[in-house]
Coordinates of all heavy atoms in Angstrom, one line a residue:
M1 N 46.2 147.5 45.1 CA 46.7 148.9 44.9 C 47.4 148.8 43.4 O 47.8 147.8 43.0 CB 47.8 149.2 45.9 CG 49.1 149.6 45.4 SD 50.3 149.7 46.9 CE 51.4 148.5 46.4
I2 N 47.3 150.0 42.8 CA 47.9 150.1 41.4 C 49.4 150.2 41.5 O 49.9 151.1 42.3 CB 47.4 151.3 40.7 CG1 45.9 151.1 40.5 CG2 48.1 151.5 39.4 CD1 45.5 150.0 39.5
V3 N 50.1 149.3 41.0 CA 51.6 149.4 41.0 C 52.1 150.1 39.8 O 53.0 151.0 39.9 CB 52.2 147.9 41.0 CG1 53.7 148.0 40.8 CG2 51.8 147.2 42.3
C4 N 51.6 149.7 38.7 CA 52.0 150.5 37.4 C 51.0 151.4 36.9 O 49.9 151.0 36.5 CB 52.3 149.4 36.4 SG 52.9 150.2 34.7
V5 N 51.1 152.7 37.2 CA 50.2 153.8 36.9 C 50.1 153.8 35.3 O 48.9 154.0 34.8 CB 50.6 155.1 37.5 CG1 49.7 156.2 37.0 CG2 50.7 155.1 38.9
C6 N 51.2 153.7 34.6 CA 51.2 153.9 33.2 C 50.3 152.8 32.5 O 49.6 153.2 31.5 CB 52.6 153.7 32.6 SG 53.7 155.1 33.1
R7 N 50.3 151.6 33.0 CA 49.5 150.5 32.4 C 48.3 150.1 33.3 O 47.6 149.2 32.9 CB 50.4 149.3 32.2 CG 51.6 149.5 31.2 CD 51.1 149.8 29.8 NE 50.4 148.9 29.2 CZ 50.8 148.1 28.1 NH1 51.9 148.3 27.7 NH2 50.0 147.2 27.7
R8 N 48.1 150.8 34.4 CA 47.0 150.5 35.3 C 47.0 149.1 35.7 O 46.0 148.3 35.5 CB 45.7 151.0 34.6 CG 45.5 152.5 34.6 CD 44.2 152.8 34.1 NE 43.1 152.2 34.8 CZ 42.7 152.7 36.0 NH1 43.1 153.8 36.5 NH2 41.6 152.0 36.6
V9 N 48.2 148.6 36.2 CA 48.3 147.2 36.7 C 48.4 147.2 38.2 O 49.2 147.9 38.7 CB 49.5 146.5 36.0 CG1 49.7 145.1 36.5 CG2 49.4 146.5 34.5
S10 N 47.6 146.4 38.9 CA 47.6 146.2 40.3 C 48.6 145.1 40.8 O 49.1 144.4 39.9 CB 46.2 145.9 40.7 OG 45.8 144.5 40.4
D11 N 48.8 145.3 42.1 CA 49.7 144.3 42.7 C 49.0 142.9 42.7 O 49.7 141.9 42.5 CB 50.0 144.7 44.2 CG 48.7 144.8 45.0 OD1 47.6 145.0 44.5 OD2 49.0 144.9 46.2
R12 N 47.7 142.8 42.7 CA 47.0 141.6 42.6 C 47.2 140.9 41.2 O 47.3 139.7 41.2 CB 45.4 141.7 42.8 CG 45.0 142.1 44.2 CD 43.6 142.2 44.3 NE 43.0 142.0 45.6 CZ 41.8 142.0 45.9 NH1 40.8 142.2 45.0 NH2 41.4 141.9 47.2
E13 N 47.1 141.7 40.3 CA 47.3 141.2 38.9 C 48.8 140.7 38.8 O 49.0 139.6 38.3 CB 47.1 142.3 37.8 CG 47.1 141.9 36.4 CD 45.9 141.1 36.1 OE1 44.9 140.9 36.8 OE2 45.9 140.6 34.8
I14 N 49.7 141.3 39.3 CA 51.2 140.9 39.1 C 51.2 139.6 40.1 O 51.8 138.7 39.7 CB 52.0 141.9 39.7 CG1 52.0 143.2 38.8 CG2 53.6 141.5 39.9 CD1 52.7 144.4 39.3
A15 N 50.7 139.6 41.2 CA 50.7 138.4 42.1 C 50.1 137.2 41.6 O 50.6 136.1 41.6 CB 50.1 138.7 43.5
R16 N 48.9 137.4 40.8 CA 48.3 136.3 40.1 C 49.3 135.7 39.1 O 49.2 134.5 39.1 CB 47.0 136.8 39.5 CG 46.1 135.7 39.0 CD 44.7 136.3 38.5 NE 44.8 137.2 37.4 CZ 44.9 136.9 36.2 NH1 44.9 135.6 35.8 NH2 45.1 137.8 35.2
H17 N 49.8 136.4 38.4 CA 50.8 136.0 37.4 C 52.0 135.2 38.1 O 52.5 134.2 37.6 CB 51.3 137.1 36.5 CG 50.3 137.4 35.4 ND1 49.1 138.1 35.7 CD2 50.2 137.2 34.0 CE1 48.4 138.3 34.6 NE2 49.1 137.7 33.6
A18 N 52.5 135.8 39.2 CA 53.7 135.3 39.9 C 53.2 134.0 40.5 O 54.1 132.9 40.5 CB 54.1 136.3 40.9
H19 N 52.1 133.9 41.0 CA 51.6 132.6 41.6 C 51.4 131.5 40.5 O 51.5 130.4 40.9 CB 50.3 132.8 42.4 CG 50.5 133.4 43.7 ND1 51.2 133.0 44.7 CD2 50.0 134.6 44.2 CE1 51.3 133.7 45.7 NE2 50.4 134.7 45.5
A20 N 51.3 131.9 39.3 CA 51.1 131.0 38.2 C 52.5 130.4 37.8 O 52.5 129.7 36.9 CB 50.4 131.6 37.1
G21 N 53.6 131.1 38.3 CA 54.9 130.6 38.0 C 55.8 131.4 37.0 O 56.8 131.1 36.7
L22 N 55.2 132.5 36.7 CA 55.8 133.5 35.7 C 56.9 134.3 36.3 O 56.7 134.6 37.6 CB 54.9 134.4 35.0 CG 54.2 133.9 33.8 CD1 53.2 132.7 34.2 CD2 53.4 135.0 33.1
S23 N 58.1 134.4 35.7 CA 59.1 135.3 36.2 C 58.7 136.8 36.0 O 57.8 137.1 35.4 CB 60.4 134.9 35.5 OG 60.2 135.3 34.1
F24 N 59.6 137.7 36.5 CA 59.4 139.1 36.4 C 59.4 139.4 34.8 O 58.6 140.1 34.4 CB 60.4 139.9 37.2 CG 60.2 141.4 36.9 CD1 59.3 142.1 37.7 CD2 60.9 142.0 35.9 CE1 59.0 143.5 37.4 CE2 60.8 143.4 35.6 CZ 59.8 144.1 36.4
D25 N 60.3 138.8 34.2 CA 60.5 139.2 32.7 C 59.2 138.8 32.0 O 58.8 139.5 31.0 CB 61.8 138.6 32.1 CG 63.0 139.2 32.6 OD1 62.9 140.4 33.2 OD2 64.1 138.6 32.5
E26 N 58.7 137.6 32.4 CA 57.4 137.1 31.6 C 56.3 137.9 32.1 O 55.4 138.3 31.1 CB 57.3 135.6 31.9 CG 58.3 134.6 31.4 CD 58.3 133.3 32.1 OE1 57.9 133.1 33.2 OE2 58.7 132.4 31.4
I27 N 56.2 138.4 33.2 CA 55.1 139.2 33.7 C 55.2 140.6 33.0 O 54.3 141.2 32.6 CB 55.1 139.3 35.3 CG1 54.8 138.0 35.9 CG2 54.0 140.3 35.6 CD1 55.0 137.9 37.3
Q28 N 56.4 141.0 33.0 CA 56.6 142.3 32.2 C 56.2 142.3 30.8 O 55.6 143.2 30.4 CB 58.1 142.7 32.3 CG 58.4 144.1 31.8 CD 59.9 144.4 31.8 OE1 60.8 143.6 31.8 NE2 60.2 145.7 32.2
F29 N 56.5 141.3 30.1 CA 56.1 141.1 28.9 C 54.5 141.0 28.6 O 54.0 141.4 27.7 CB 56.8 139.8 28.2 CG 56.5 139.6 26.7 CD1 57.2 140.3 25.7 CD2 55.6 138.6 26.3 CE1 56.8 140.2 24.5 CE2 55.3 138.4 25.0 CZ 55.9 139.1 24.0
E30 N 54.0 140.2 29.5 CA 52.6 140.0 29.6 C 51.7 141.1 29.9 O 50.7 141.4 29.2 CB 52.2 138.8 30.5 CG 50.9 138.3 30.5 CD 50.5 137.4 29.3 OE1 51.4 136.8 28.7 OE2 49.4 137.4 29.0
L31 N 52.2 141.8 30.9 CA 51.3 143.0 31.3 C 51.8 144.4 30.9 O 51.2 145.4 31.0 CB 51.2 143.0 32.8 CG 50.7 141.7 33.5 CD1 50.6 141.7 35.0 CD2 49.2 141.5 32.9
G32 N 53.1 144.4 30.5 CA 53.7 145.8 30.1 C 54.2 146.6 31.2 O 54.4 147.9 31.0
I33 N 54.3 146.0 32.4 CA 54.7 146.8 33.5 C 56.2 147.1 33.5 O 57.0 146.5 32.7 CB 54.6 146.0 34.8 CG1 55.3 144.7 34.8 CG2 53.1 145.8 35.2 CD1 55.4 143.9 36.1
A34 N 56.5 148.3 33.9 CA 57.9 148.9 33.9 C 58.5 149.1 32.5 O 59.6 148.9 32.3 CB 58.8 148.1 34.7
M35 N 57.6 149.3 31.5 CA 58.1 149.5 30.2 C 58.0 150.9 29.7 O 58.3 151.2 28.5 CB 57.4 148.5 29.3 CG 57.8 147.0 29.6 SD 57.1 145.8 28.6 CE 58.1 145.9 27.1
Q36 N 57.2 151.7 30.5 CA 57.1 153.1 30.1 C 58.1 154.0 30.8 O 59.2 154.3 30.4 CB 55.6 153.6 30.0 CG 54.9 152.8 28.9 CD 53.4 153.3 28.9 OE1 53.0 154.3 29.3 NE2 52.6 152.5 28.1
C37 N 57.6 154.6 32.0 CA 58.3 155.5 32.7 C 59.4 154.7 33.6 O 60.4 155.2 34.0 CB 57.5 156.4 33.6 SG 56.8 155.6 35.0
G38 N 59.1 153.4 34.0 CA 59.9 152.6 34.7 C 59.9 152.8 36.2 O 60.6 152.1 37.0
R39 N 59.0 153.7 36.7 CA 59.0 154.0 38.2 C 58.4 152.8 38.9 O 58.7 152.8 40.2 CB 58.2 155.3 38.4 CG 58.7 156.5 38.0 CD 58.1 157.7 38.2 NE 58.6 158.8 37.6 CZ 58.0 159.9 37.3 NH1 56.7 160.2 37.6 NH2 58.6 161.0 36.7
C40 N 57.7 151.9 38.4 CA 57.1 150.8 39.0 C 58.0 149.6 39.2 O 57.5 148.7 39.9 CB 55.8 150.5 38.4 SG 56.0 149.8 36.7
E41 N 59.2 149.6 38.6 CA 59.9 148.4 38.5 C 60.3 147.9 39.9 O 60.1 146.7 40.1 CB 61.1 148.6 37.7 CG 61.9 147.3 37.5 CD 63.0 147.4 36.5 OE1 63.1 148.4 35.8 OE2 63.9 146.5 36.4
N42 N 60.8 148.6 40.8 CA 61.2 148.1 42.0 C 60.0 147.6 42.8 O 60.2 146.4 43.4 CB 61.9 149.1 42.9 CG 63.2 149.5 42.4 OD1 63.8 148.8 41.6 ND2 63.7 150.6 42.8
C43 N 58.8 148.2 42.8 CA 57.7 147.7 43.5 C 57.2 146.4 42.9 O 56.9 145.5 43.6 CB 56.6 148.8 43.5 SG 55.1 148.3 44.4
A44 N 57.1 146.4 41.6 CA 56.7 145.2 40.8 C 57.6 144.0 41.2 O 57.1 142.9 41.4 CB 56.6 145.5 39.4
R45 N 58.8 144.3 41.1 CA 59.9 143.3 41.4 C 59.6 142.7 42.8 O 59.8 141.5 43.1 CB 61.3 143.7 41.2 CG 61.7 143.7 39.8 CD 63.2 144.1 39.7 NE 63.6 144.1 38.2 CZ 63.9 143.2 37.4 NH1 63.7 142.0 37.8 NH2 64.2 143.4 36.1
D46 N 59.4 143.5 43.8 CA 59.1 143.2 45.3 C 57.9 142.4 45.3 O 57.9 141.3 46.0 CB 58.9 144.4 46.1 CG 60.2 145.1 46.4 OD1 61.3 144.6 46.2 OD2 60.2 146.3 46.9
V47 N 56.8 142.7 44.6 CA 55.6 141.8 44.6 C 55.9 140.4 44.0 O 55.5 139.4 44.6 CB 54.5 142.6 43.7 CG1 53.3 141.5 43.6 CG2 54.0 143.8 44.4
V48 N 56.6 140.4 42.9 CA 57.1 139.1 42.3 C 57.9 138.2 43.3 O 57.6 137.1 43.5 CB 57.7 139.2 41.0 CG1 58.3 138.0 40.5 CG2 56.7 140.0 39.9
A49 N 58.8 139.0 43.8 CA 59.8 138.2 44.8 C 59.0 137.6 46.0 O 59.2 136.5 46.4 CB 60.9 139.2 45.3
R50 N 58.1 138.4 46.6 CA 57.3 137.9 47.7 C 56.5 136.9 47.4 O 56.4 135.8 48.1 CB 56.3 139.1 48.3 CG 57.1 139.9 49.3 CD 56.1 140.9 50.0 NE 56.1 142.1 49.2 CZ 55.1 142.8 48.8 NH1 53.8 142.3 48.9 NH2 55.1 143.9 48.1
C51 N 55.9 136.8 46.1 CA 55.0 135.7 45.7 C 55.9 134.5 45.4 O 55.5 133.3 45.6 CB 54.2 136.1 44.5 SG 53.0 137.3 44.8
S52 N 57.0 134.7 44.8 CA 57.9 133.6 44.4 C 58.4 132.8 45.6 O 58.5 131.6 45.7 CB 59.0 134.1 43.6 OG 58.6 134.6 42.4
S53 N 58.8 133.6 46.7 CA 59.2 132.9 47.9 C 58.1 132.2 48.6 O 58.3 131.1 49.1 CB 59.9 133.9 48.8 OG 58.9 134.9 49.2
A54 N 56.9 132.8 48.6 CA 55.7 132.1 49.2 C 55.5 130.9 48.4 O 55.1 129.7 48.9 CB 54.5 133.0 49.3
H55 N 55.5 130.9 47.1 CA 55.3 129.7 46.2 C 56.3 128.6 46.4 O 56.0 127.5 46.6 CB 55.4 130.3 44.7 CG 55.2 129.1 43.8 ND1 53.8 128.7 43.5 CD2 55.8 128.4 43.0 CE1 53.8 127.8 42.6 NE2 55.1 127.6 42.3
S56 N 57.7 129.0 46.7 CA 58.6 128.0 47.0 C 58.3 127.3 48.4 O 58.6 126.1 48.5 CB 60.1 128.6 47.1 OG 60.3 129.2 45.8
V57 N 57.9 128.1 49.4 CA 57.7 127.5 50.6 C 56.5 126.5 50.5 O 56.6 125.5 51.1 CB 57.2 128.6 51.7 CG1 56.7 128.0 53.0 CG2 58.6 129.4 52.0
A58 N 55.5 126.9 49.7 CA 54.4 126.0 49.5 C 54.8 124.7 48.9 O 54.3 123.6 49.2 CB 53.2 126.7 48.7
A59 N 55.7 124.8 47.8 CA 56.2 123.6 47.2 C 57.0 122.8 48.1 O 56.9 121.5 48.0 CB 57.0 124.1 46.0
I60 N 57.8 123.4 48.9 CA 58.5 122.5 49.9 C 57.6 121.8 50.8 O 57.8 120.7 51.1 CB 59.6 123.4 50.6 CG1 60.7 123.9 49.7 CG2 60.1 122.7 51.9 CD1 61.6 124.9 50.3
H61 N 56.6 122.5 51.3 CA 55.6 121.9 52.2 C 54.9 120.8 51.5 O 54.7 119.7 52.1 CB 54.6 123.0 52.6 CG 53.6 122.6 53.6 ND1 53.9 122.2 55.0 CD2 52.3 122.3 53.6 CE1 52.8 121.8 55.6 NE2 51.8 121.8 54.7
N62 N 54.4 120.9 50.3 CA 53.8 119.8 49.6 C 54.8 118.7 49.3 O 54.2 117.5 49.4 CB 53.3 120.4 48.1 CG 52.1 121.3 48.4 OD1 51.4 121.2 49.3 ND2 51.8 122.0 47.3
E63 N 55.9 118.9 49.0 CA 57.0 117.9 48.8 C 57.2 117.1 50.2 O 57.2 115.8 50.2 CB 58.3 118.5 48.4 CG 59.3 117.4 48.1 CD 60.6 118.0 47.6 OE1 60.5 119.0 46.9 OE2 61.7 117.4 47.8
A64 N 57.2 117.8 51.3 CA 57.4 117.1 52.6 C 56.1 116.3 52.8 O 56.3 115.1 53.4 CB 57.6 118.2 53.7
Q65 N 55.0 116.8 52.5 CA 53.7 115.9 52.8 C 53.8 114.7 51.9 O 53.3 113.6 52.3 CB 52.5 116.8 52.4 CG 52.1 117.8 53.4 CD 50.9 118.5 53.2 OE1 50.7 118.9 51.9 NE2 50.2 118.8 54.1
T66 N 54.3 114.8 50.7 CA 54.4 113.7 49.7 C 55.2 112.7 50.3 O 55.0 111.5 50.2 CB 54.7 114.1 48.3 OG1 53.9 115.1 47.8 CG2 54.7 113.0 47.4
V67 N 56.6 113.0 50.7 CA 57.5 112.0 51.4 C 56.8 111.4 52.5 O 57.0 110.2 52.7 CB 58.7 112.8 51.7 CG1 59.6 112.0 52.6 CG2 59.5 113.4 50.4
Q68 N 56.2 112.3 53.4 CA 55.5 111.6 54.5 C 54.4 110.5 54.2 O 54.4 109.5 54.7 CB 54.9 112.7 55.4 CG 54.3 112.2 56.7 CD 55.3 111.5 57.7 OE1 56.4 112.1 57.9 NE2 55.0 110.4 58.1
L69 N 53.7 110.8 53.2 CA 52.6 110.0 52.7 C 53.2 108.7 52.2 O 52.8 107.5 52.5 CB 51.8 110.6 51.6 CG 50.7 109.7 50.9 CD1 49.7 109.3 52.0 CD2 50.0 110.4 49.9
A70 N 54.3 108.8 51.4 CA 55.1 107.7 50.8 C 55.6 106.8 52.0 O 55.5 105.6 52.0 CB 56.3 108.1 49.9
N71 N 56.2 107.4 53.0 CA 56.7 106.8 54.1 C 55.6 106.0 54.9 O 55.7 104.8 55.3 CB 57.4 107.6 55.1 CG 58.9 108.0 54.6 OD1 59.4 107.4 53.8 ND2 59.3 109.2 55.1
N72 N 54.5 106.6 55.0 CA 53.4 105.9 55.7 C 52.9 104.8 54.8 O 52.5 103.7 55.4 CB 52.1 106.9 55.8 CG 52.3 108.0 56.9 OD1 53.4 107.9 57.7 ND2 51.6 109.0 56.9
I73 N 52.8 104.8 53.6 CA 52.4 103.7 52.7 C 53.4 102.5 52.9 O 53.0 101.4 53.1 CB 52.4 104.2 51.3 CG1 51.1 105.1 51.2 CG2 52.2 103.0 50.3 CD1 50.9 105.8 49.8
L74 N 54.8 103.0 52.9 CA 55.8 101.9 53.0 C 55.7 101.2 54.3 O 56.0 100.0 54.3 CB 57.1 102.6 52.7 CG 57.4 103.0 51.3 CD1 58.8 103.8 51.1 CD2 57.4 101.6 50.3
E75 N 55.4 101.9 55.3 CA 55.4 101.4 56.8 C 54.1 100.7 57.0 O 54.0 100.0 58.1 CB 55.7 102.4 57.7 CG 57.1 103.0 57.6 CD 57.4 104.3 58.5 OE1 56.3 104.7 59.2 OE2 58.4 104.8 58.5
S76 N 53.1 100.9 56.2 CA 51.8 100.4 56.4 C 51.8 98.8 56.4 O 52.4 98.1 55.5 CB 50.8 100.8 55.3 OG 49.7 100.1 55.5
K77 N 51.1 98.1 57.3 CA 51.1 96.7 57.4 C 50.3 96.2 56.1 O 50.5 95.0 55.7 CB 50.5 96.2 58.7 CG 51.5 96.4 59.7 CD 50.9 95.9 61.2 CE 51.9 96.2 62.2 NZ 51.3 95.8 63.5
A78 N 49.3 97.0 55.7 CA 48.5 96.6 54.5 C 49.3 96.3 53.3 O 49.0 95.5 52.5 CB 47.5 97.5 54.2
W79 N 50.6 96.9 53.2 CA 51.4 96.8 52.0 C 52.6 95.9 52.4 O 53.6 95.8 51.6 CB 51.9 98.1 51.5 CG 50.7 98.8 50.9 CD1 50.0 99.8 51.6 CD2 50.2 98.7 49.6 NE1 49.0 100.2 50.7 CE2 49.1 99.6 49.5 CE3 50.6 97.9 48.6 CZ2 48.4 99.7 48.4 CZ3 49.8 98.0 47.4 CH2 48.7 98.8 47.2
S80 N 52.6 95.3 53.5 CA 53.7 94.5 53.9 C 53.9 93.2 52.9 O 52.8 92.5 52.8 CB 53.6 94.0 55.3 OG 54.5 92.9 55.6
S81 N 55.0 93.0 52.4 CA 55.3 91.8 51.5 C 55.0 90.5 52.2 O 54.5 89.6 51.7 CB 56.6 91.9 50.8 OG 57.6 91.9 51.8
S82 N 55.5 90.4 53.5 CA 55.4 89.1 54.1 C 53.9 88.9 54.4 O 53.4 87.6 54.2 CB 56.1 89.2 55.5 OG 55.6 90.1 56.2
Q83 N 53.1 89.9 54.7 CA 51.7 89.6 55.0 C 51.0 89.3 53.6 O 50.1 88.5 53.6 CB 51.1 90.9 55.5 CG 49.7 90.8 56.3 CD 49.3 92.1 56.9 OE1 49.5 93.2 56.4 NE2 48.7 91.9 58.1
H84 N 51.5 89.9 52.5 CA 50.9 89.7 51.2 C 51.2 88.3 50.8 O 50.4 87.5 50.3 CB 51.5 90.7 50.3 CG 50.9 90.5 48.8 ND1 49.7 90.8 48.5 CD2 51.4 89.9 47.7 CE1 49.5 90.5 47.2 NE2 50.6 90.0 46.7
L85 N 52.4 87.8 51.1 CA 52.7 86.4 50.8 C 52.0 85.4 51.6 O 51.6 84.4 51.0 CB 54.2 86.2 50.8 CG 55.1 87.0 49.8 CD1 56.6 86.8 50.2 CD2 54.9 86.5 48.4
S86 N 51.8 85.7 52.8 CA 51.2 84.6 53.7 C 49.7 84.5 53.4 O 49.1 83.5 53.6 CB 51.4 85.1 55.1 OG 50.7 86.2 55.5
A87 N 49.1 85.7 52.9 CA 47.7 85.6 52.5 C 47.5 84.9 51.2 O 46.4 84.3 50.9 CB 47.1 87.0 52.3
A88 N 48.5 84.7 50.4 CA 48.4 84.0 49.1 C 48.4 82.5 49.2 O 48.6 81.8 50.0 CB 49.5 84.5 48.1
Ligands
LIG101 S1 54.4 153.3 36.3 FE1 54.9 151.4 35.3 S2 55.9 152.1 33.6 FE2 55.2 153.9 34.5

C-alpha cells in the first residue's frame, strides 16, 4: 500500500529500509517521505516502529541461540580439557 502519496512510497519500501537498520530520519532523508504535505508521517513512523521492534526480537532470538551454542560447545566432551590432556 502506498504510504506517502506525494512521493509514491509504499509500506514495503519503508519496511525494507527499516529492516536494513535505518531510523525514521534516515529513511525520511533517503526516500523523501513526510517532507511535502506531511500527512503520511504517522503511518510511516508506525511502519518503521513495527519493523524495528520485530528486528529487535529477531536480534534477541539470534543472541539467545548464540549463547546456547556457546554453552553446548563448552559442555561438549569433545572440548573437555581433561580428555584433551589424556589423549596427548
Ligand atoms: S503523503 Fe507523504 S509527504 Fe505528502
Side-chain angles (χ1 to χ4, degrees):
M1 128 185 125
I2 296 293
V3 172
C4 180
V5 175
C6 295
R7 299 298 299 250
R8 292 184 49 85
V9 177
S10 69
D11 57 342
R12 282 182 165 186
E13 186 75 2
I14 294 168
R16 190 171 61 83
H17 282 72
H19 284 302
L22 274 64
S23 68
F24 176 83
D25 290 345
E26 292 166 330
I27 295 169
Q28 185 179 33
F29 181 78
E30 185 75 24
L31 301 177
I33 55 173
M35 294 182 76
Q36 290 186 14
C37 74
R39 290 183 188 152
C40 62
E41 183 171 348
N42 287 341
C43 183
R45 284 188 184 278
D46 286 348
V47 172
V48 173
R50 270 187 270 129
C51 293
S52 297
S53 62
H55 185 73
S56 297
V57 169
I60 289 168
H61 184 69
N62 286 341
E63 186 175 323
Q65 284 182 324
T66 302
V67 169
Q68 183 63 46
L69 179 61
N71 286 336
N72 288 346
I73 290 170
L74 290 172
E75 293 170 3
S76 169
K77 290 182 179 176
W79 291 95
S80 168
S81 59
S82 62
Q83 200 174 40
H84 179 73
L85 290 173
S86 65

